[in-house]
Amino acid sequence: MKYPIILLALVLILSCDKMPEITDDMLDGDIIFDASLYDPGSYLVSESLPTPDDIQKATPVIILCHGYSASTFEWSEFFDWNDSDSSILISRVLLGGHGRTYQDFKEATWQDWKQSILDEYDALVNAGFSNISFAGSSTGGALLVELVSSGYFNDKVIPRNIFLIDPIVIPSNKTLSLANLVGPMLGYITSGNSPEEEPYWYHYRPQETLRELLTLINLVRKDLEKGITLPEETYLKLYKSERDPTADPVSAVLIYNGMETTSGKKIDIELLDSDFHVFTRLDLRDNVTAKDIQLQENVFTEMKSRLIN
């Protein structure tokens, strides 16, 4: 069995170049940056409402966390769908090291990725917001599970809701497990972004970032095997695409079996008839059907209902 693995590792090494050809029209370049870096007030509630009044402090706020190599664009449809309805407030967080240059992305650790989530949460708490929820897609979901497992919310404002959209614990592509094996010999891998997606996702994924992703999901998997208890009064629901090409459906099984409420109850989970990873993002995708659009509408509606009730 070891020979196919070694052969695959050699193929990966030979197919990777340590110095990618980066152009300015890619997110990896020096010109294009995530828009939240230029205009944080349009993305973060802590920036748009630094001194909220009493009504605003009690308004539900949801912090949206995107996935590995993505950007705030991944949650733009939920923001647009809400259409500035003031019954909820939305923070779209850019993970640390993301949305910037290739070098910034390459040097960031998974702890750096989650720091921007903590920064927004802490800023909201310090401003007096008392009704805070989270939603994480893909790696954003894994980061939220890790935050709960680490006890970060102990003795703090408890999240009212946590929504996980196609969280990754076990990757569908098993070659990710080779990231530590081949280590520095790998330069990068390229994504399958369409030309329209290039401004919003990294085209090049440095091997250093793949190793950070592997470290994170392995940590989360081990924590789930030990068992994770949600903070008291926190509601968690996991939504999982049945035919996810990126996050193996086993990820949902591990989270379902590994997390419980303080009263020992299982979390809520819903398997969805979808071929997409992060099915809540339909913009710029091919072969989107009326069924996909309705599924997105249903999930957005359910999330918002939980936020305001």
Side-chain angles (χ1 to χ4, degrees):
M1 190 68 184
K2 65 180 180 179
Y3 297 110
I5 293 177
I6 293 173
L7 178 60
L8 179 57
L10 288 173
V11 170
L12 283 171
I13 293 168
L14 294 173
S15 65
C16 293
D17 185 343
K18 297 203 176 197
M19 293 299 295
E21 195 65 39
I22 297 172
T23 60
D24 289 334
D25 59 334
M26 299 175 181
L27 184 62
D28 314 63
D30 292 325
I31 292 179
I32 293 180
F33 290 87
D34 189 90
S36 65
L37 295 170
Y38 294 119
D39 184 18
S42 294
Y43 288 80
L44 301 176
V45 174
S46 65
E47 292 283 344
S48 62
L49 294 173
T51 55
D53 58 32
D54 289 342
I55 294 177
Q56 291 167 334
K57 288 177 182 179
T59 301
V61 183
I62 184 166
I63 300 174
L64 305 176
C65 315
H66 64 78
Y68 164 78
S69 83
S71 65
T72 55
F73 179 81
E74 194 161 79
W75 278 106
S76 61
E77 283 159 89
F78 181 76
F79 181 83
D80 293 341
W81 172 86
N82 191 58
D83 196 27
S84 301
D85 181 348
S86 60
S87 63
I88 66 171
L89 299 171
I90 298 174
S91 281
R92 289 173 289 169
V93 168
L94 178 67
L95 297 187
H98 284 66
R100 302 166 174 85
T101 67
Y102 175 83
Q103 194 64 29
D104 288 331
F105 184 40
K106 179 179 178 179
E107 293 175 357
T109 65
W110 71 264
Q111 291 93 338
D112 294 328
W113 301 349
K114 76 171 181 179
Q115 188 57 50
S116 57
I117 303 173
L118 304 183
D119 289 345
E120 179 62 3
Y121 167 82
D122 289 339
L124 292 171
V125 171
N126 291 335
F129 288 95
S130 59
N131 188 341
I132 302 173
S133 296
F134 292 86
S137 52
S138 193
T139 299
L143 288 169
L144 293 180
V145 173
E146 191 279 331
L147 281 178
V148 172
S149 177
S150 70
Y152 184 80
F153 300 111
N154 294 348
D155 302 319
K156 297 184 179 181
V157 174
I158 299 300
R160 296 285 183 91
N161 302 278
I162 299 176
F163 305 105
L164 305 179
I165 308 295
D166 290 333
I168 184 169
V169 179
I170 303 296
S172 295
N173 185 348
K174 301 305 184 274
T175 58
L176 178 60
S177 62
L178 295 173
N180 283 328
L181 175 65
V182 296
M185 292 183 290
L186 280 175
Y188 63 87
I189 63 172
T190 58
S191 69
N193 299 340
S194 68
E196 293 78 18
E197 292 173 322
E198 289 290 87
Y200 307 109
W201 278 266
Y202 285 98
H203 181 87
Y204 297 103
R205 297 173 178 180
Q207 61 89 13
E208 291 87 350
T209 66
L210 295 171
R211 294 174 71 185
E212 291 298 318
L213 176 59
L214 182 61
T215 298
L216 169 65
I217 62 176
N218 282 342
L219 174 63
V220 170
R221 176 179 53 79
K222 291 176 182 178
D223 287 345
L224 288 167
E225 290 171 354
K226 296 174 185 175
I228 301 172
T229 301
L230 288 166
E232 191 172 2
E233 298 182 2
T234 295
Y235 171 82
L236 187 148
K237 181 161 184 180
L238 190 161
Y239 299 91
K240 190 71 186 73
S241 170
E242 291 182 333
R243 296 173 298 280
D244 188 330
T246 300
D248 194 304
V250 173
S251 299
V253 176
L254 290 175
I255 294 175
Y256 180 75
N257 288 333
M259 298 190 80
E260 63 180 19
T261 67
T262 52
S263 61
K265 293 182 179 179
K266 291 291 188 181
I267 64 169
D268 282 349
I269 184 171
E270 185 174 353
L271 298 179
L272 299 164
D273 183 14
S274 173
D275 299 304
F276 292 128
H277 177 59
V278 186
F279 61 87
T280 47
R281 194 273 294 186
L282 300 178
D283 279 357
L284 309 183
R285 286 187 141 150
D286 295 328
N287 303 317
V288 174
T289 66
K291 180 192 69 177
D292 295 317
I293 295 170
Q294 186 60 56
L295 186 151
Q296 182 193 70
E297 171 77 19
N298 293 345
V299 172
F300 286 174
T301 300
E302 183 175 28
M303 287 172 58
K304 186 170 181 177
S305 176
R306 291 288 317 185
L307 292 171
I308 61 179
N309 293 323

